[in-house]
């Protein structure tokens, strides 16, 4: 089963960052958030890819792996992250519930939600109102502020077995529609009524994501561009093994990564690939476009977040996290990049979200 998290950047339009000069640095933290020693360098002096020969791979204490970041407390095993439209709030969800942080102070507010079954793919709505999570054969919608269960949808699988379970979930930008990619088809539900709107049997597993205007989604293996109810309109070539994907803020581009291999950037209008990013990681778990659309962040199994120029295809910066990167989100002004980790840096603090500043 694919362990993908589909993420969206671009809740607002930011001034373009200069691709060749982007550096991930320590966010100023005068309010007590946990910070580390210093930033990793830009490409060319990249300490992010260096191994620490003295560390046990299972040791998540502070090392060069997390230097330059602020660790936000409250979550473990993060599955999704999203910023508010004003950029002041970061919302995340993980194995122990939901947390909202005021990024100006790094103060977090945790919310407990029920957790039946195995934790599967998750997404947060654009307005931060809902968390949508797949749990065995159920797709549940939770209120992020009070932890109330809003809606439960039943997928094609059965509890206790993975056949037919969701490989990914998404919610439309207006929060009105939930879509689940399952190994037995693409399922579309209306949140307000709970009504199932469509089932598309031409899609088996893979990722699913809405374009920012809600008028297009991508789903399946191979990836197919579709209307909001899942009717296919075009097929993305060479995407039979796609594991994760994200639209650019303007919806013109689609970035996707294979289960192993490079990252592809695809033009949805011309239906042509524009650039291929030579990703060294064996498995990408998260992709997110910078709000200006000129940069793309990737993170995955090796714990490294890499920032790429989607124009040149070159890496412009990177940093190393202590464990696998499961989620990524840029703030709407493009100033901050948040990364959600498989495990907490310090387990007792449940600090599995790292926050960097882009300068």
């Amino acid at each position: 089963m694919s362990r993908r998290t589909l993420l969206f950047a671009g809740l607002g339009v930011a001034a373009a960052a200069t691709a060749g000069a982007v550096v991930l640095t320590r966010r100023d933290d005068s309010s007590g958030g946990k910070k580390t020693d210093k930033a990793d360098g830009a490409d060319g002096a990249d300490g992010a890819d260096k191994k620490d020969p003295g560390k046990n791979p299972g040791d998540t204490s502070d090392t060069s792996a997390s230097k330059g970041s602020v660790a936000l407390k409250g979550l473990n095993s993060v599955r999704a992250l999203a910023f508010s439209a004003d950029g002041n709030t970061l919302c995340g969800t993980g194995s122990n519930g939901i947390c909202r942080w005021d990024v100006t102070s790094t103060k977090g507010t945790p919310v407990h939600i029920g957790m039946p079954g195995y934790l599967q793919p998750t997404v947060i709505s654009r307005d931060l109102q809902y968390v949508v999570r797949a749990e065995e054969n159920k797709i549940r919608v939770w209120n992020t502020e009070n932890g109330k269960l809003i809606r439960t949808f039943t997928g094609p699988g059965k509890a206790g077995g993975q056949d037919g379970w969701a490989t990914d979930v998404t919610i439309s930008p207006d929060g009105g529609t939930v879509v689940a990619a399952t190994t037995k088809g693409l399922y579309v539900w209306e949140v307000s009524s709970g009504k199932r709107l469509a089932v598309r049997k031409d899609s088996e597993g893979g990722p699913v994501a809405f374009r920012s205007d809600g008028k297009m989604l991508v789903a399946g293996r191979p990836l197919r561009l579709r209307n909001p109810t899942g009717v296919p309109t075009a097929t993305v070539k060479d995407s039979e093994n796609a594991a994760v994907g994200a639209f650019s803020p303007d919806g013109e581009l689609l970035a996707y990564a294979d289960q192993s291999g490079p990252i592809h950037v695809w033009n949805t209008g011309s239906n042509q690939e524009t650039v291929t990013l030579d990703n060294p990681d064996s498995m990408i778990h998260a992709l997110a476009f910078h709000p200006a659309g000129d940069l793309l962040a990737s993170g995955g199994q090796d714990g490294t977040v890499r920032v790429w120029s989607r124009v040149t295809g070159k890496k412009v910066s990177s940093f190393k996290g202590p464990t696998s990167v499961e989620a990524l989100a840029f703030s709407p002004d493009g100033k901050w990049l948040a990364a959600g980790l498989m495990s907490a840096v310090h387990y007792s603090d449940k600090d599995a979200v790292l926050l960097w500043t882009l300068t």
Side-chain angles (χ1 to χ4, degrees), residues 24-243:
L24 295 169
T25 65
R26 178 190 302 167
R27 179 190 174 282
D28 179 38
D29 182 45
S30 58
S31 305
K34 182 170 296 180
K35 61 186 176 183
T36 52
D37 297 335
K38 63 180 180 179
D40 288 326
D43 195 21
D46 186 5
D49 291 332
K50 294 179 180 178
K51 305 294 184 181
D52 183 346
K55 288 298 288 184
N56 184 307
D59 187 349
T60 58
S61 60
D62 270 347
T63 68
S64 60
S66 57
K67 287 180 180 178
S69 68
V70 174
L72 303 182
K73 297 181 181 181
L75 287 183
N76 190 30
S77 300
V78 176
R79 287 293 180 270
L81 293 169
F83 278 93
S84 60
D86 63 9
N88 292 330
T89 301
L90 175 66
C91 183
T93 184
S95 62
N96 59 315
I98 300 168
C99 198
R100 286 170 172 257
W101 297 273
D102 178 344
V103 295
T104 64
S105 67
T106 71
K107 181 180 180 181
T109 304
V111 177
H112 177 74
I113 60 177
M115 247 177 304
Y118 173 71
L119 182 63
Q120 293 174 268
T122 308
V123 69
I124 299 171
S125 64
R126 172 178 284 193
D127 62 3
L128 307 190
Q129 182 178 357
Y130 300 130
V131 161
V132 181
R133 302 195 326 181
E135 299 170 4
E136 294 193 341
N137 65 328
K138 306 295 185 183
I139 311 297
R140 304 188 195 275
V141 182
W142 305 88
N143 182 290
T144 63
E145 292 187 351
N146 57 26
K148 181 181 178 180
L149 180 62
I150 303 298
R151 189 71 65 188
T152 299
F153 306 114
T154 301
K158 295 181 179 180
Q162 295 186 7
D163 185 33
W165 285 12
T167 57
D168 206 2
V169 294
T170 191
I171 187 168
S172 59
D174 64 4
T177 306
V178 166
V179 184
T182 79
T183 57
K184 291 187 175 181
L186 192 70
Y187 283 69
V188 184
W189 294 279
E190 185 177 60
V191 174
S192 60
S193 67
K195 180 182 178 181
R196 192 172 72 188
L197 301 178
V199 178
R200 305 295 175 190
K201 295 296 186 179
D202 60 350
S203 177
E204 296 182 358
V208 60
F210 266 103
R211 196 170 67 180
S212 59
D213 62 3
K215 295 180 179 180
M216 178 186 290
L217 61 82
V218 64
R221 290 196 186 117
L223 291 174
R224 290 186 173 91
L225 302 179
R226 301 169 181 270
N227 74 9
T229 59
V231 177
T233 58
T235 300
V236 179
K237 290 193 302 182
D238 302 324
S239 60
E240 289 79 5
N241 295 316

Side-chain angles (χ1 to χ4, degrees), residues 228-267:
T229 59
V231 177
T233 58
T235 300
V236 179
K237 290 193 302 182
D238 302 324
S239 60
E240 289 79 5
N241 295 316
V244 59
F247 281 104
S248 61
D250 62 8
E252 180 182 352
L253 302 174
L254 170 70
Y256 69 93
D258 294 343
Q259 290 182 322
S260 61
I263 301 168
H264 306 272
V265 179
W266 193 263
N267 187 296

